[in-house]
Amino acid sequence: MLMVLLVLLHKGKGGGLSDLFGGGFSSSFGGSSVVERNLDRLTIITGVVWFVCIIALGLLLKP
């Protein structure tokens, strides 16, 4: 559920829900805001943790 929420918060082509949390203010450094960069990092970290958990459970539950 957290992964779905984080993906939905990302800004798409026409703007996203992240604009509600300050994502609409763009920075002159690279074109994306601090909120958007932090959201990207959080999404990647959550995805990696999710992937590692799936692999670990697969190895632990292997007959």
Side-chain angles (χ1 to χ4, degrees):
M1 295 294 285
L2 178 63
M3 196 66 185
V4 171
L5 177 67
L6 289 173
V7 170
L8 288 176
L9 282 174
H10 276 88
K11 184 168 34 171
K13 291 181 180 178
L17 292 176
S18 62
D19 289 339
L20 294 174
F21 304 108
F25 301 106
S26 62
S27 164
S28 62
F29 305 110
S32 65
S33 69
V34 174
V35 173
E36 199 66 36
R37 283 190 307 240
N38 287 336
L39 185 59
D40 289 341
R41 290 179 187 141
L42 186 60
T43 304
I44 291 170
I45 291 169
T46 304
V48 168
V49 169
W50 182 59
F51 182 74
V52 168
C53 287
I54 288 173
I55 297 298
L57 282 173
L59 292 174
L60 287 174
L61 297 176
K62 195 161 126 179

